[in-house]
Structure formats: C-alpha cells, structure tokens
Amino acid sequence: MAQHAPSSGQPVTRSYRQGIGGAWWTALLVVTVLLGFVGRSDSGFWSVFLWSIVGFVVGSLVAIALAGRLVPARSEDEAFAGLVRVDGAGGAR
Amino acid sequence: MKWLLMLLAFVLGAAITWFLTVKRVTRTVSVDDGAADVEAAEPDLTPVVSPGEPVAGAVGVAGGADLAAAAGAGVLAAEAPEISQTSEAADSAVDDEDGEEGEDDADNASRFGGSHTEPSEAPGAAEEWDRDAQDEDALMPASAVEASDPGAESEEDVPPVVDATPNGDLAGVGNPAEVAEVDGHVEAQQSAAAGQASDSSSTGDVAGVSQSAARHEQGELTFDDEPEPPKKPKKERGGTAV
C-alpha cells in the first residue's frame, strides 16, 4: 500500500485492517446461493453451491493474506502513528 | 461451467473480503501535530545543562556534581562540536573511495579513548619505553628527563636550603623563608620547655605535670606529642592539684 508523503495542512490517506464481521457471512451466503442458481441447469444447484463456497473461502483467505502483508496497521491510530516517523526520516529533521 | 462459477466465487470472495477488511481513512496533518508526535515518539534523552544553573535530576545521582562542574567550565560546549566533527568524519570515511586516511579517522573515533587530541598525542612513559633499552632512563617520561637536565630553568626557581633543619628536613626541599620560620618556632618551643623545667615548685613538682595527670583522671583522650611524664606518688599529685 503506497504511503502518501505528508505535508503541512494537507490531507493524508492511510489504510488499516479490521475484522471481516457479519457482512462477510452474508456475502458468502448470497454469492454462493446466486451462483448455485446460475449453475443449476448445468451441474445442479448443490454442486455449484458447495464448490462456490470453497472458491469464496479460498479467495477470502488469499485476500486476508495479502492485506496482512500490504497493510501493517491494524487500527486508525496505528496507521497515522508511523506518519511522522516516516516523514521525519525523509526530511522533516 | 461449474469450475467457471467456482472461479467467479473465488474472485468475488477475494474482492469482498478485501473491501470489508481494508479501510482507508483521510486525515489532515498539520505541522504542529507532527511536531507533537515527534516529541511523543522520540523523547530526547540528552540532559539539558546550562552553565551556572543546577542540573535537573543530578541530585543523588553519581556523577551529577561532575556534570554540573563540566557544564560550568564549558567542557560540554567544547566537546559537542568535537563529537559532531567525529561523526561527520566517520560518515565521510564511509563515502571515501580511497579509504586509507578516512578509515583511520573512523577507527580513531570509534575505538577506546576516542579520537586523538593534542594532549593525547604526547606519549607516556610506557609508550616511549624501548623493549631493548638497557637504560632505566628510558622508562622516565619526557617531562621528567627535561626536569633532570642540569641546564633546565626549573631548578633555578627553587633555591636549595643550605643546612638541614632541626626537624630533619632535607636541604633543597623547603622554602628558605618558611624553613627559617619553622626553625624559630622550634627554638621558641625548646626555650619555653626549658623555662618550665626550671619553674618547679618548692616541693619539687614540675609545672604542667599535675595538669596532665588531672586530665588523665577525667578520662579524656589526649593525643599530646609530649612524652609521658614519670609517674609520681598519689600523695604528691593530690597535693599539687588545685
């Protein structure tokens, strides 16, 4: 994740991670059910539904792994805590 | 078709999870906030010492008085540029491609004792000692050799005393005026002792002896340099006591 160089009085955008929460479970159910209905005429609802669950979970694990590598901050304060240190090493000091 | 739908589920799962977990937030950072955060993140551990003012936190800490004395003498102010110069020398030594002199400076700055200064360049007795030298003068420092030189001016500063004093002082050690003063004082003491010995009472008691005995009876600890007088019978000592 690119770290924006801060300057005085300018907005700085930072990223941080948070828990997936209940929205992920809702998305899992909706996506797999929709895909099951789409593939119902080819392989049957349950086959496509179950394989869609596998694909969704694996894709989620890959996304979580990438987020853990690219976004080290786990909270908003932690994301801005390193802002001044990076800036101080660059030229503020 | 089924595997295509599974691949679509994989992509949707990754994308939805990414947008659910990774949040982006925007803040407006000012210079004052940045300065405050710098102070909070990196507290300055170097004590602030002003000449002539008490050192904060120096009470009860070993070396605090020395730190205050060094601040008052301006030693700290004199050492600060030197430290920065040595660090700059170390940095330049790293960048120097030739490397010989720069590396030597870096080694001098980093090894025990720090970089060489003008006083430290003067070799001591151990450094000047030649392993093969048979003369013990080789162990003497240069300053001692110069002092022992008969043509040196340092000997002319202190004229030698011709005779030894009655106290056994060696000639050439003391100042003649002080030695003469001490001699006069000693002679005065000797004459006073002779006068006291002649000032004896009719009963034969020696003046001052009974007073010393009285002090011994009171149990006081005395550290007189005078020799212990010969013990006398109690009846005589009680008769002379006032």
Side-chain angles (χ1 to χ4, degrees):
Chain A
M1 184 59 61
Q3 305 291 335
H4 298 272
S7 59
S8 61
Q10 291 186 354
V12 178
T13 301
R14 285 299 177 93
S15 300
Y16 65 96
R17 291 178 286 138
Q18 67 175 7
I20 53 178
W24 183 86
W25 295 100
T26 304
L28 173 65
L29 182 62
V30 171
V31 167
T32 51
V33 169
L34 286 177
L35 292 178
F37 274 105
V38 169
R40 181 182 53 179
S41 60
D42 186 19
S43 302
F45 174 81
W46 292 110
S47 176
V48 176
F49 174 76
L50 293 176
W51 282 111
S52 297
I53 290 175
V54 173
F56 193 93
V57 170
V58 172
S60 297
L61 293 176
V62 171
I64 291 172
L66 287 176
R69 293 291 300 272
L70 300 178
V71 183
R74 303 185 66 176
S75 65
E76 184 176 351
D77 295 333
E78 187 177 353
F80 284 95
L83 176 67
V84 178
R85 267 205 299 272
V86 173
D87 180 39
R93 277 199 164 192
Chain B
M1 181 67 179
K2 183 179 67 177
W3 302 114
L4 183 63
L5 293 176
M6 180 185 173
L7 181 63
L8 181 61
F10 175 85
V11 173
L12 288 175
I16 290 172
T17 304
W18 179 268
F19 287 112
L20 287 177
T21 55
V22 178
K23 295 294 183 182
R24 296 174 67 85
V25 64
T26 302
R27 278 185 179 181
T28 301
V29 179
S30 62
V31 177
D32 295 336
D33 294 341
D37 289 340
V38 166
E39 293 296 332
E42 298 177 359
D44 192 5
L45 298 178
T46 304
V48 178
V49 179
S50 301
E53 293 183 359
V55 180
V59 177
V61 179
D66 295 338
L67 181 61
V75 177
L76 293 179
E79 289 180 353
E82 184 180 352
I83 294 173
S84 61
Q85 289 176 359
T86 55
S87 62
E88 291 176 358
D91 294 338
S92 62
V94 173
D95 298 335
D96 191 5
E97 294 181 357
D98 296 337
E100 292 298 330
E101 296 180 356
E103 288 179 357
D104 291 340
D105 293 339
D107 292 340
N108 291 335
S110 61
R111 72 184 185 183
F112 180 76
S115 60
H116 286 277
T117 60
E118 185 174 354
S120 66
E121 287 296 338
E127 295 173 346
E128 284 185 342
W129 177 57
D130 186 6
R131 185 180 298 274
D132 298 330
Q134 300 297 324
D135 188 5
E136 62 181 3
D137 291 339
L139 295 174
M140 298 177 63
S143 59
V145 173
E146 292 176 356
S148 63
D149 190 5
E153 297 178 354
S154 58
E155 288 188 355
E156 297 177 357
D157 296 336
V158 181
V161 178
V162 178
D163 298 328
T165 63
N167 291 332
D169 295 335
L170 296 178
V173 177
N175 191 4
E178 295 178 356
V179 171
E181 183 179 357
V182 171
D183 290 342
H185 184 66
V186 170
E187 290 177 357
Q189 283 184 345
Q190 290 177 350
S191 61
Q196 288 178 355
S198 61
D199 187 16
S200 57
S201 64
S202 59
T203 57
D205 294 335
V206 179
V209 174
S210 60
Q211 188 176 3
S212 174
R215 282 191 303 213
H216 283 280
E217 288 181 355
Q218 292 174 359
E220 296 178 357
L221 292 176
T222 57
F223 300 96
D224 295 336
D225 295 333
E226 301 173 356
E228 187 70 21
K231 290 185 179 180
K232 297 199 177 277
K234 286 187 178 180
K235 58 181 183 179
E236 294 181 357
R237 190 170 53 199
T240 55
V242 179

